[in-house]
Amino acid sequence: MKKKSILCLLIAFSLLIMPSNNITENRGIKESTKIVIGDTVLETSDYNKSDICISRDLSQKNEGIVTVTINDKDTGKILELITEEKQLKSNLNNSVKRSSLLGGYHYIYNIRRTCQEGPATIFLDCTVYMHDSGFYTQVDEVLGTNMYIASSTDTTLENVDSYWSVPNDVFPTAEVNFYGSGVITGKSINKPVIMSGSFYSYSSGH
């Protein structure tokens, strides 16, 4: 009886020190990936950096538009398009006029993420007022976020939620976090979709 007790204790101890081999758990861990767009950088955990290829289209940069394409490294499939659109803003609202005393220029920036899920094309927009002094860049105000689906008779986007936040809820800020989620619903699809990340100006020193 005593020998059996000792044997049981040895087995239990060996199980405690045995290394874990939880493959599913390890696969679920994704490191943050930084994606340089144009004047801004998107940081997201939606992809593993080792699984994707990133390319930039600067052909419309003089018009204020830069597009980034994210492809699957193995298949070449387009996973997402990210578009940065910059527009000079001369008529500022009262909450933004204060920082114009510092000189420089104000722009409206729209960061748009576009992904294809089955038959549906999903968009997530985040729009901000940004002040460029020539020495630094800051976000003075977030105009809002919006998640929506391209017009379609076959699919809809249900239970839509989108929001933004900034560190410590303080403006001006160097970083904006934004998030969107919904459920693509149609005859051949019923799939949740989530996009999240943060962006900041390329000159903010992150």
Side-chain angles (χ1 to χ4, degrees):
M1 187 72 180
K2 188 175 181 181
K3 288 183 179 180
K4 287 184 178 180
S5 299
I6 294 172
L7 182 61
C8 290
L9 286 172
L10 288 174
I11 292 172
F13 182 72
S14 65
L15 289 173
L16 285 174
I17 64 173
M18 187 179 294
S20 173
N21 190 26
N22 193 332
I23 297 174
T24 304
E25 191 173 277
N26 291 339
R27 283 179 178 174
I29 299 172
K30 292 184 179 179
E31 294 183 358
S32 180
T33 300
K34 294 181 180 181
I35 302 168
V36 177
I37 310 174
D39 297 331
T40 59
V41 178
L42 175 72
E43 188 167 344
T44 180
S45 298
D46 292 346
Y47 305 101
N48 282 319
K49 190 173 182 179
S50 59
D51 296 335
I52 60 174
C53 293
I54 301 169
S55 59
R56 290 198 299 162
D57 181 359
L58 303 176
S59 62
Q60 293 181 282
K61 187 170 175 60
N62 290 338
E63 289 78 49
I65 300 173
V66 176
T67 302
V68 171
T69 303
I70 301 177
N71 296 84
D72 184 284
K73 185 175 286 186
D74 294 330
T75 66
K77 177 185 176 182
I78 295 177
L79 302 175
E80 183 177 342
L81 298 177
I82 305 169
T83 305
E84 172 194 282
E85 187 169 358
K86 170 184 175 183
Q87 179 185 355
L88 182 64
K89 183 66 177 175
S90 56
N91 299 319
L92 304 175
N93 61 20
N94 290 331
S95 64
V96 178
K97 283 180 180 177
R98 292 191 298 272
S99 64
S100 65
L101 298 174
L102 301 174
Y105 298 92
H106 276 87
Y107 299 91
I108 291 180
Y109 275 83
N110 185 69
I111 307 299
R112 172 172 293 171
R113 300 183 64 181
T114 307
C115 70
Q116 188 76 28
E117 292 288 351
T121 303
I122 307 298
F123 305 95
L124 175 62
D125 288 358
C126 185
T127 309
V128 301
Y129 276 127
M130 196 174 286
H131 173 231
D132 184 358
S133 71
F135 298 99
Y136 62 88
T137 306
Q138 65 187 32
V139 174
D140 288 337
E141 183 178 348
V142 178
L143 299 180
T145 58
N146 187 25
M147 190 172 194
Y148 55 101
I149 190 171
S151 180
S152 171
T153 58
D154 297 325
T155 55
T156 59
L157 189 64
E158 307 294 337
N159 302 323
V160 180
D161 183 26
S162 66
Y163 62 84
W164 59 268
S165 65
V166 297
N168 303 315
D169 294 324
V170 174
F171 288 99
T173 183
E175 182 177 340
V176 177
N177 309 304
F178 66 115
Y179 169 94
S181 66
V183 179
I184 304 167
T185 304
K187 293 180 180 179
S188 61
I189 188 171
N190 191 291
K191 183 178 181 180
V193 58
I194 297 174
M195 287 188 278
S196 64
S198 60
F199 72 89
Y200 46 85
S201 68
Y202 192 61
S203 61
S204 65
H206 277 62

